[in-house]
PDB file of all heavy atoms in Angstrom:
ATOM      1  N   ILE A  44     -88.886  14.686   6.970  1.00  0.00           N
ATOM      2  CA  ILE A  44     -87.496  14.482   6.781  1.00  0.00           C
ATOM      3  C   ILE A  44     -86.722  15.340   7.688  1.00  0.00           C
ATOM      4  O   ILE A  44     -85.737  14.908   8.351  1.00  0.00           O
ATOM      5  CB  ILE A  44     -87.232  14.888   5.289  1.00  0.00           C
ATOM      6  CG1 ILE A  44     -87.894  13.830   4.333  1.00  0.00           C
ATOM      7  CG2 ILE A  44     -85.684  14.888   5.028  1.00  0.00           C
ATOM      8  CD1 ILE A  44     -87.882  14.277   2.879  1.00  0.00           C
ATOM      9  N   VAL A  45     -87.036  16.567   7.827  1.00  0.00           N
ATOM     10  CA  VAL A  45     -86.282  17.453   8.744  1.00  0.00           C
ATOM     11  C   VAL A  45     -86.288  17.077  10.235  1.00  0.00           C
ATOM     12  O   VAL A  45     -85.400  16.926  10.840  1.00  0.00           O
ATOM     13  CB  VAL A  45     -86.802  18.933   8.581  1.00  0.00           C
ATOM     14  CG1 VAL A  45     -86.125  19.827   9.633  1.00  0.00           C
ATOM     15  CG2 VAL A  45     -86.454  19.442   7.162  1.00  0.00           C
ATOM     16  N   GLU A  46     -87.598  16.672  10.619  1.00  0.00           N
ATOM     17  CA  GLU A  46     -87.760  16.204  12.101  1.00  0.00           C
ATOM     18  C   GLU A  46     -87.007  14.895  12.232  1.00  0.00           C
ATOM     19  O   GLU A  46     -86.459  14.744  13.387  1.00  0.00           O
ATOM     20  CB  GLU A  46     -89.167  16.140  12.401  1.00  0.00           C
ATOM     21  CG  GLU A  46     -89.841  17.570  12.535  1.00  0.00           C
ATOM     22  CD  GLU A  46     -91.311  17.471  12.499  1.00  0.00           C
ATOM     23  OE1 GLU A  46     -91.974  16.515  11.982  1.00  0.00           O
ATOM     24  OE2 GLU A  46     -91.882  18.445  13.015  1.00  0.00           O
ATOM     25  N   THR A  47     -86.931  14.046  11.384  1.00  0.00           N
ATOM     26  CA  THR A  47     -86.292  12.735  11.558  1.00  0.00           C
ATOM     27  C   THR A  47     -84.665  13.096  11.514  1.00  0.00           C
ATOM     28  O   THR A  47     -83.846  12.492  12.476  1.00  0.00           O
ATOM     29  CB  THR A  47     -86.537  11.799  10.391  1.00  0.00           C
ATOM     30  OG1 THR A  47     -87.944  11.527  10.255  1.00  0.00           O
ATOM     31  CG2 THR A  47     -85.752  10.441  10.476  1.00  0.00           C
ATOM     32  N   LEU A  48     -84.180  13.937  10.766  1.00  0.00           N
ATOM     33  CA  LEU A  48     -82.731  14.392  10.837  1.00  0.00           C
ATOM     34  C   LEU A  48     -82.396  15.054  12.105  1.00  0.00           C
ATOM     35  O   LEU A  48     -81.374  14.865  12.657  1.00  0.00           O
ATOM     36  CB  LEU A  48     -82.450  15.279   9.652  1.00  0.00           C
ATOM     37  CG  LEU A  48     -82.384  14.596   8.263  1.00  0.00           C
ATOM     38  CD1 LEU A  48     -82.252  15.597   7.109  1.00  0.00           C
ATOM     39  CD2 LEU A  48     -81.382  13.523   8.216  1.00  0.00           C
ATOM     40  N   CYS A  49     -83.346  15.882  12.568  1.00  0.00           N
ATOM     41  CA  CYS A  49     -83.109  16.640  13.938  1.00  0.00           C
ATOM     42  C   CYS A  49     -82.985  15.536  14.997  1.00  0.00           C
ATOM     43  O   CYS A  49     -82.219  15.535  15.905  1.00  0.00           O
ATOM     44  CB  CYS A  49     -84.365  17.543  14.230  1.00  0.00           C
ATOM     45  SG  CYS A  49     -84.322  18.974  13.186  1.00  0.00           S
ATOM     46  N   ALA A  50     -83.833  14.505  14.962  1.00  0.00           N
ATOM     47  CA  ALA A  50     -83.920  13.368  16.034  1.00  0.00           C
ATOM     48  C   ALA A  50     -82.644  12.709  15.972  1.00  0.00           C
ATOM     49  O   ALA A  50     -81.965  12.279  16.875  1.00  0.00           O
ATOM     50  CB  ALA A  50     -85.090  12.559  15.783  1.00  0.00           C
ATOM     51  N   ALA A  51     -82.152  12.348  14.755  1.00  0.00           N
ATOM     52  CA  ALA A  51     -80.897  11.664  14.559  1.00  0.00           C
ATOM     53  C   ALA A  51     -79.628  12.484  15.064  1.00  0.00           C
ATOM     54  O   ALA A  51     -78.872  11.847  15.832  1.00  0.00           O
ATOM     55  CB  ALA A  51     -80.645  11.300  13.120  1.00  0.00           C
ATOM     56  N   ALA A  52     -79.618  13.737  14.756  1.00  0.00           N
ATOM     57  CA  ALA A  52     -78.564  14.646  15.235  1.00  0.00           C
ATOM     58  C   ALA A  52     -78.532  14.608  16.807  1.00  0.00           C
ATOM     59  O   ALA A  52     -77.525  14.536  17.466  1.00  0.00           O
ATOM     60  CB  ALA A  52     -78.592  15.996  14.724  1.00  0.00           C
ATOM     61  N   LEU A  53     -79.717  14.879  17.390  1.00  0.00           N
ATOM     62  CA  LEU A  53     -79.752  14.797  18.835  1.00  0.00           C
ATOM     63  C   LEU A  53     -79.442  13.419  19.442  1.00  0.00           C
ATOM     64  O   LEU A  53     -78.779  13.340  20.498  1.00  0.00           O
ATOM     65  CB  LEU A  53     -81.161  15.206  19.301  1.00  0.00           C
ATOM     66  CG  LEU A  53     -81.435  16.760  19.135  1.00  0.00           C
ATOM     67  CD1 LEU A  53     -82.916  17.006  19.238  1.00  0.00           C
ATOM     68  CD2 LEU A  53     -80.685  17.536  20.087  1.00  0.00           C
ATOM     69  N   GLY A  54     -79.907  12.325  18.773  1.00  0.00           N
ATOM     70  CA  GLY A  54     -79.549  11.038  19.237  1.00  0.00           C
ATOM     71  C   GLY A  54     -78.130  10.739  19.211  1.00  0.00           C
ATOM     72  O   GLY A  54     -77.523  10.115  20.185  1.00  0.00           O
ATOM     73  N   ILE A  55     -77.353  11.215  18.150  1.00  0.00           N
ATOM     74  CA  ILE A  55     -75.907  10.966  18.135  1.00  0.00           C
ATOM     75  C   ILE A  55     -75.235  11.776  19.334  1.00  0.00           C
ATOM     76  O   ILE A  55     -74.304  11.209  20.012  1.00  0.00           O
ATOM     77  CB  ILE A  55     -75.408  11.375  16.843  1.00  0.00           C
ATOM     78  CG1 ILE A  55     -75.848  10.353  15.749  1.00  0.00           C
ATOM     79  CG2 ILE A  55     -73.776  11.532  16.829  1.00  0.00           C
ATOM     80  CD1 ILE A  55     -75.624  10.834  14.250  1.00  0.00           C
ATOM     81  N   GLY A  56     -75.694  13.041  19.489  1.00  0.00           N
ATOM     82  CA  GLY A  56     -75.206  13.836  20.594  1.00  0.00           C
ATOM     83  C   GLY A  56     -75.366  13.161  21.989  1.00  0.00           C
ATOM     84  O   GLY A  56     -74.579  13.138  22.790  1.00  0.00           O
ATOM     85  N   ALA A  57     -76.671  12.630  22.116  1.00  0.00           N
ATOM     86  CA  ALA A  57     -77.021  11.940  23.367  1.00  0.00           C
ATOM     87  C   ALA A  57     -76.095  10.747  23.631  1.00  0.00           C
ATOM     88  O   ALA A  57     -75.615  10.434  24.704  1.00  0.00           O
ATOM     89  CB  ALA A  57     -78.425  11.572  23.339  1.00  0.00           C
ATOM     90  N   TYR A  58     -75.853   9.927  22.564  1.00  0.00           N
ATOM     91  CA  TYR A  58     -75.014   8.764  22.612  1.00  0.00           C
ATOM     92  C   TYR A  58     -73.647   9.228  23.163  1.00  0.00           C
ATOM     93  O   TYR A  58     -73.106   8.583  24.029  1.00  0.00           O
ATOM     94  CB  TYR A  58     -74.960   8.057  21.402  1.00  0.00           C
ATOM     95  CG  TYR A  58     -73.822   7.071  21.355  1.00  0.00           C
ATOM     96  CD1 TYR A  58     -74.046   5.834  22.022  1.00  0.00           C
ATOM     97  CD2 TYR A  58     -72.679   7.309  20.622  1.00  0.00           C
ATOM     98  CE1 TYR A  58     -72.953   4.884  22.088  1.00  0.00           C
ATOM     99  CE2 TYR A  58     -71.572   6.288  20.658  1.00  0.00           C
ATOM    100  CZ  TYR A  58     -71.751   5.120  21.396  1.00  0.00           C
ATOM    101  OH  TYR A  58     -70.786   4.183  21.364  1.00  0.00           O
ATOM    102  N   GLY A  59     -73.045  10.274  22.621  1.00  0.00           N
ATOM    103  CA  GLY A  59     -71.780  10.687  22.969  1.00  0.00           C
ATOM    104  C   GLY A  59     -71.710  11.069  24.403  1.00  0.00           C
ATOM    105  O   GLY A  59     -70.803  10.791  25.137  1.00  0.00           O
ATOM    106  N   ALA A  60     -72.724  11.799  24.774  1.00  0.00           N
ATOM    107  CA  ALA A  60     -72.770  12.223  26.275  1.00  0.00           C
ATOM    108  C   ALA A  60     -73.022  11.080  27.208  1.00  0.00           C
ATOM    109  O   ALA A  60     -72.357  11.092  28.348  1.00  0.00           O
ATOM    110  CB  ALA A  60     -73.826  13.288  26.459  1.00  0.00           C
ATOM    111  N   LEU A  61     -73.921  10.302  26.922  1.00  0.00           N
ATOM    112  CA  LEU A  61     -74.300   9.160  27.820  1.00  0.00           C
ATOM    113  C   LEU A  61     -73.282   8.050  27.882  1.00  0.00           C
ATOM    114  O   LEU A  61     -73.094   7.394  28.873  1.00  0.00           O
ATOM    115  CB  LEU A  61     -75.668   8.650  27.592  1.00  0.00           C
ATOM    116  CG  LEU A  61     -76.747   9.570  27.714  1.00  0.00           C
ATOM    117  CD1 LEU A  61     -78.131   9.051  27.279  1.00  0.00           C
ATOM    118  CD2 LEU A  61     -76.882  10.165  29.052  1.00  0.00           C
ATOM    119  N   ALA A  62     -72.490   7.843  26.826  1.00  0.00           N
ATOM    120  CA  ALA A  62     -71.444   6.892  26.791  1.00  0.00           C
ATOM    121  C   ALA A  62     -70.106   7.334  27.158  1.00  0.00           C
ATOM    122  O   ALA A  62     -69.148   6.662  27.187  1.00  0.00           O
ATOM    123  CB  ALA A  62     -71.396   6.166  25.313  1.00  0.00           C
ATOM    124  N   GLY A  63     -70.087   8.646  27.460  1.00  0.00           N
ATOM    125  CA  GLY A  63     -68.818   9.202  27.858  1.00  0.00           C
ATOM    126  C   GLY A  63     -67.705   9.311  26.800  1.00  0.00           C
ATOM    127  O   GLY A  63     -66.546   9.152  27.206  1.00  0.00           O
ATOM    128  N   ARG A  64     -68.110   9.546  25.558  1.00  0.00           N
ATOM    129  CA  ARG A  64     -67.098   9.497  24.510  1.00  0.00           C
ATOM    130  C   ARG A  64     -66.242  10.847  24.630  1.00  0.00           C
ATOM    131  O   ARG A  64     -66.732  11.894  25.196  1.00  0.00           O
ATOM    132  CB  ARG A  64     -67.842   9.553  23.149  1.00  0.00           C
ATOM    133  CG  ARG A  64     -68.616   8.168  22.975  1.00  0.00           C
ATOM    134  CD  ARG A  64     -67.599   7.059  22.825  1.00  0.00           C
ATOM    135  NE  ARG A  64     -68.419   5.913  22.599  1.00  0.00           N
ATOM    136  CZ  ARG A  64     -68.097   4.681  23.070  1.00  0.00           C
ATOM    137  NH1 ARG A  64     -66.969   4.534  23.846  1.00  0.00           N
ATOM    138  NH2 ARG A  64     -68.752   3.651  22.815  1.00  0.00           N
ATOM    139  N   ALA A  65     -65.091  10.848  23.879  1.00  0.00           N
ATOM    140  CA  ALA A  65     -64.252  11.988  24.014  1.00  0.00           C
ATOM    141  C   ALA A  65     -64.857  13.207  23.290  1.00  0.00           C
ATOM    142  O   ALA A  65     -64.499  14.313  23.487  1.00  0.00           O
ATOM    143  CB  ALA A  65     -62.898  11.654  23.330  1.00  0.00           C
ATOM    144  N   TRP A  66     -65.818  12.929  22.316  1.00  0.00           N
ATOM    145  CA  TRP A  66     -66.384  13.952  21.532  1.00  0.00           C
ATOM    146  C   TRP A  66     -67.777  14.383  22.084  1.00  0.00           C
ATOM    147  O   TRP A  66     -68.706  15.038  21.484  1.00  0.00           O
ATOM    148  CB  TRP A  66     -66.518  13.526  20.025  1.00  0.00           C
ATOM    149  CG  TRP A  66     -67.045  12.138  19.975  1.00  0.00           C
ATOM    150  CD1 TRP A  66     -66.421  10.953  19.818  1.00  0.00           C
ATOM    151  CD2 TRP A  66     -68.543  11.725  19.848  1.00  0.00           C
ATOM    152  NE1 TRP A  66     -67.268   9.904  19.676  1.00  0.00           N
ATOM    153  CE2 TRP A  66     -68.551  10.335  19.712  1.00  0.00           C
ATOM    154  CE3 TRP A  66     -69.729  12.469  19.834  1.00  0.00           C
ATOM    155  CZ2 TRP A  66     -69.765   9.601  19.602  1.00  0.00           C
ATOM    156  CZ3 TRP A  66     -70.874  11.789  19.728  1.00  0.00           C
ATOM    157  CH2 TRP A  66     -70.929  10.343  19.623  1.00  0.00           C
ATOM    158  N   THR A  67     -68.010  14.132  23.464  1.00  0.00           N
ATOM    159  CA  THR A  67     -69.152  14.485  24.070  1.00  0.00           C
ATOM    160  C   THR A  67     -69.739  15.867  23.841  1.00  0.00           C
ATOM    161  O   THR A  67     -70.809  16.083  23.346  1.00  0.00           O
ATOM    162  CB  THR A  67     -69.040  14.284  25.602  1.00  0.00           C
ATOM    163  OG1 THR A  67     -68.986  12.878  25.883  1.00  0.00           O
ATOM    164  CG2 THR A  67     -70.310  14.786  26.225  1.00  0.00           C
ATOM    165  N   TRP A  68     -68.796  16.834  24.112  1.00  0.00           N
ATOM    166  CA  TRP A  68     -69.294  18.299  23.954  1.00  0.00           C
ATOM    167  C   TRP A  68     -69.425  18.665  22.451  1.00  0.00           C
ATOM    168  O   TRP A  68     -70.383  19.383  22.140  1.00  0.00           O
ATOM    169  CB  TRP A  68     -68.215  19.226  24.560  1.00  0.00           C
ATOM    170  CG  TRP A  68     -68.221  18.978  25.981  1.00  0.00           C
ATOM    171  CD1 TRP A  68     -67.316  18.531  26.842  1.00  0.00           C
ATOM    172  CD2 TRP A  68     -69.389  19.273  26.926  1.00  0.00           C
ATOM    173  NE1 TRP A  68     -67.708  18.490  28.061  1.00  0.00           N
ATOM    174  CE2 TRP A  68     -69.030  18.988  28.236  1.00  0.00           C
ATOM    175  CE3 TRP A  68     -70.623  19.781  26.660  1.00  0.00           C
ATOM    176  CZ2 TRP A  68     -69.705  19.163  29.335  1.00  0.00           C
ATOM    177  CZ3 TRP A  68     -71.528  19.966  27.918  1.00  0.00           C
ATOM    178  CH2 TRP A  68     -70.987  19.649  29.113  1.00  0.00           C
TER     179      TRP A  68
END
Side-chain angles (χ1 to χ4, degrees):
I44 295 168
V45 171
E46 287 164 339
T47 302
L48 291 173
C49 290
L53 286 166
I55 292 168
Y58 167 74
L61 297 175
R64 299 292 182 216
W66 46 270
T67 292
W68 291 113

